[in-house]
């Protein structure tokens, strides 16, 4: 997988407005969905009740929580970028989030992203706004489209 590799924040800033490499495929398993349900206490039947899903769901398979897709953004972005001088990264928030298409269990997803904006943040930090789209393999509409904001510190 290609990565954006920068020595420091000065080098990283030069990438504002640029697209990142496309991420690798990530398999969304029932184990991940169950763990997310445990962590968030969201046991809605469309995620975890296999018998009911077979009878009532139009998808006939469990679907991942939409917020699971959002939660994967940090991991998927950090798989695509290395800033050697960075000591810490922190999630800052989301400006826009949509879930155009559900992620069925055992689907593969990958990230398409760009660096929309880079701003100074305090003495040793940057605030980065990322445009993110989580593609589902063999599916026209993405799982998640989000404007994700994070902080990086040197």
């Amino acid at each position: 997988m290609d990565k954006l590799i920068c020595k420091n924040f000065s080098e990283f800033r030069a990438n504002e407005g640029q697209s990142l490499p496309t991420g690798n495929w990530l398999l969304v398993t029932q184990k991940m969905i169950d763990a997310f349900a445990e962590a968030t206490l969201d046991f809605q039947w469309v995620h975890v009740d296999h018998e009911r899903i077979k009878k009532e769901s139009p998808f006939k398979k469990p679907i991942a929580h939409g917020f699971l897709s959002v939660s994967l953004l940090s991991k998927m972005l950090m798989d695509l970028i290395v800033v050697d001088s960075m000591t810490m990264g922190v999630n800052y928030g989301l400006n826009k989030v949509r879930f155009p298409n559900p992620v069925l269990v055992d689907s593969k997803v990958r990230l398409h992203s760009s660096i929309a904006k880079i701003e100074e943040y305090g003495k040793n930090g940057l605030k980065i706004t990322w445009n993110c789209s989580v593609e589902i393999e063999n599916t026209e509409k993405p799982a998640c489209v989000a404007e994700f904001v994070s902080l990086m510190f040197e």
Side-chain angles (χ1 to χ4, degrees), residues 9-114:
F9 280 6
S10 294
E11 235 179 68
F12 175 69
R13 280 189 203 94
N15 292 281
E16 185 173 7
Q18 301 298 309
S19 292
L20 295 176
T22 300
N24 285 339
W25 291 110
L26 174 69
L27 181 66
V28 178
T29 65
Q30 187 64 50
K31 184 176 178 180
M32 291 169 68
I33 294 169
D34 291 344
F36 194 85
E38 284 285 332
T40 61
L41 304 177
D42 180 353
F43 297 100
Q44 186 181 17
W45 68 269
V46 297
H47 308 302
V48 296
D49 187 338
H50 296 269
E51 292 308 312
R52 188 169 177 190
I53 289 165
K54 287 177 191 172
K55 293 177 190 171
E56 298 180 38
S57 170
F59 308 111
K60 303 301 179 198
K61 293 175 80 172
I63 60 172
H65 304 72
F67 287 113
L68 174 57
S69 300
V70 170
S71 297
L72 291 171
L73 290 178
S74 295
K75 182 251 186 296
M76 291 191 289
L77 278 168
M78 290 303 101
D79 284 350
L80 298 177
I81 185 164
V82 174
V83 180
D84 291 332
S85 65
M86 184 178 89
T87 60
M88 181 177 70
V90 178
N91 295 336
Y92 189 81
L94 298 157
N95 293 332
K96 300 174 187 175
V97 180
R98 297 290 181 268
F99 305 110
N101 208 57
V103 177
L104 278 64
V105 68
D106 298 326
S107 294
K108 291 181 182 177
V109 297
R110 68 178 174 181
L111 181 64
H112 296 269
S113 58
S114 64

